Amino acid sequence: MAYSLDQFSSDCHDILTKDSSAPGLEKVRQNLEKALSDPEFVAAHLGPDNKEPRTILYEDADLGFCIVAHVYDGAKGGHPHDHGPQWAIYGQAIGVTEMTEWKVVKKGAGAEASLVEPEITYDLKPGMARVYDINVVHSPDRKDSTKLIRIEGKNLDHVERNPYKAAEAAA
């Protein structure tokens, strides 16, 4: 039996109602991997009819978390960023995303960007999901087309983020 969006969002809601700390996020991450391993779930939400870079599939009325489909056609890189006061869980469905996590080496003041250096780089492959907690700076790099599901603690369309710049780019 397929893992439906209704069941997945209900499972996430139940988990996050009880525990939105690291152990709860880990359980949500595991459920996202379950969804990503279901070909029917992936086809329903990331199939050929979805060509949008960002589609909100579900937004929880009580807790505010969102389940978002992302479809990127062709290569696409990203700059170091965080999600401000929110967490996110990235789940790779199709293609590979090279993800870099960064450490802050000089905190910016006001509108000045904080300087960051790469700390670790790894591949997110189909079926894998990873939690990015509050203030974890990361950047995706996609060499080809990719599709992913991301769960956001709150709709990131409405979240102010901190500015970051790679230290070597600032030198």
Side-chain angles (χ1 to χ4, degrees):
M1 178 181 230
Y3 195 29
S4 71
L5 180 62
D6 286 342
Q7 185 61 57
F8 177 49
S9 60
S10 177
D11 290 346
C12 292
H13 176 91
D14 292 348
I15 291 166
L16 294 170
T17 296
K18 293 176 188 158
D19 184 5
S20 62
S21 69
L25 296 179
E26 173 58 21
K27 289 178 184 174
V28 171
R29 184 198 68 76
Q30 291 170 3
N31 278 356
L32 179 52
E33 286 188 346
K34 175 182 172 182
L36 295 170
S37 70
D38 182 340
E40 290 179 45
F41 183 93
V42 171
H45 305 294
L46 295 165
D49 293 340
N50 185 349
K51 298 182 186 322
E52 297 300 317
R54 179 177 170 84
T55 304
I56 296 177
L57 302 174
Y58 173 84
E59 188 164 358
D60 192 86
D62 297 326
L63 303 177
F65 73 89
C66 294
I67 300 172
V68 184
H70 292 279
V71 176
Y72 298 108
D73 187 26
K76 181 171 176 53
H79 301 287
H81 68 278
D82 66 9
H83 299 122
Q86 298 303 320
W87 52 264
I89 304 171
Y90 286 64
Q92 194 73 32
I94 296 170
V96 175
T97 298
E98 181 183 271
M99 191 67 79
T100 300
E101 292 184 32
W102 302 76
K103 65 179 177 180
V104 175
V105 294
K106 182 181 177 207
K107 184 94 171 118
E112 176 189 2
S114 294
L115 299 181
V116 293
E117 291 180 346
E119 194 167 42
I120 184 172
T121 299
Y122 49 87
D123 287 340
L124 285 178
K125 297 178 182 175
M128 295 173 66
R130 184 96 175 211
V131 175
Y132 297 92
D133 210 344
I134 296 168
N135 295 321
V136 172
V137 182
H138 55 285
S139 62
D141 188 30
R142 301 167 184 98
K143 307 289 187 218
D144 203 350
S145 297
T146 58
K147 297 182 179 189
L148 61 111
I149 299 287
R150 184 169 73 182
I151 306 171
E152 304 169 349
K154 297 276 187 245
N155 184 335
L156 293 178
D157 287 338
H158 312 293
V159 171
E160 188 172 325
R161 300 181 191 202
N162 302 313
Y164 295 96
K165 184 182 285 188
E168 68 269 8

